[in-house]
């Protein structure tokens, strides 16, 4: 089975015991972990880090025994830039590429599935990425 890149919102939902998404995210992560290798990248690591006071606690929350850590490929950075340009041309207000563009591009370039609860932007800009998301 193809690896699954895990979006930070899934991890944060579980860690914060989010009332709306926590249960869905925990079940989806468990299912993905039973089927495939779970992957995070430095952007996901950085986004999740804001919920932890120190790196030791973060490391415990993201054990390497569960999450493989992949670097962001340069091809993904290129694709993220191109998708961000499309976003801006469509009227997007943000001035710098958002982490979601890098995460989506990483999944696209590496042919990973993507576990997220925010499917909208990924569907719009990365239509080839197989999403695992709420219906």
């Amino acid at each position: 089975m193809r690896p699954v890149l895990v979006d930070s919102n899934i991890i944060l939902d579980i860690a914060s015991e989010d009332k709306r998404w926590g249960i869905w995210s925990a079940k989806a992560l468990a299912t993905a972990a039973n089927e495939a290798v779970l992957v995070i990248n430095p952007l996901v690591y950085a986004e999740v880090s804001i919920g932890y006071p120190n790196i030791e606690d973060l490391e415990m929350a993201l054990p390497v025994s569960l999450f493989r850590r992949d670097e962001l490929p340069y091809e993904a950075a290129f694709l993220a830039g191109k998708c961000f340009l499309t976003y801006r041309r469509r009227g997007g207000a943000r001035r710098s590429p958002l982490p979601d563009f890098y995460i989506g591009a990483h999944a696209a370039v590496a042919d990973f599935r993507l576990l997220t609860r925010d499917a909208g932007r990924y569907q719009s800009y990365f239509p080839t990425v197989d999403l695992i998301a709420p219906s």
Side-chain angles (χ1 to χ4, degrees):
M1 191 59 101
R2 290 184 0 246
V4 174
L5 182 60
V6 181
D7 198 354
S8 54
N9 56 42
I10 299 297
I11 299 165
L12 291 170
D13 287 346
I14 296 165
S16 69
E17 299 178 356
D18 184 90
K19 299 217 182 299
R20 181 171 181 197
W21 292 109
I23 292 172
W24 184 91
S25 292
K27 287 180 181 178
L29 184 68
T31 299
N34 285 330
E35 298 174 357
V37 172
L38 302 179
V39 179
I40 60 171
N41 64 29
L43 294 162
V44 171
Y45 190 91
E47 288 186 318
V48 172
S49 75
I50 64 172
Y52 294 88
N54 57 58
I55 196 166
E56 293 81 12
D57 290 343
L58 178 61
E59 289 291 320
M60 286 177 44
L62 299 173
V64 293
S65 60
L66 182 59
F67 296 99
R68 187 177 84 194
R69 295 164 187 213
D70 285 9
E71 296 299 324
L72 183 68
Y74 280 89
E75 294 85 356
F78 180 83
L79 179 58
K82 294 302 178 192
C83 290
F84 181 74
L85 181 60
T86 300
Y87 161 82
R88 291 285 294 147
R89 287 180 175 158
R90 290 179 180 169
R94 300 286 173 109
R95 296 271 178 216
S96 62
L98 304 169
D100 288 351
F101 285 101
Y102 292 108
I103 292 166
H106 187 180
V109 167
D111 194 30
F112 292 157
R113 293 178 293 152
L114 178 60
L115 174 58
T116 184
R117 65 170 162 74
D118 294 331
R121 181 173 292 132
Y122 295 118
Q123 287 173 333
S124 295
Y125 294 96
F126 304 99
T128 62
V129 172
D130 183 14
L131 298 177
I132 303 167
S135 36

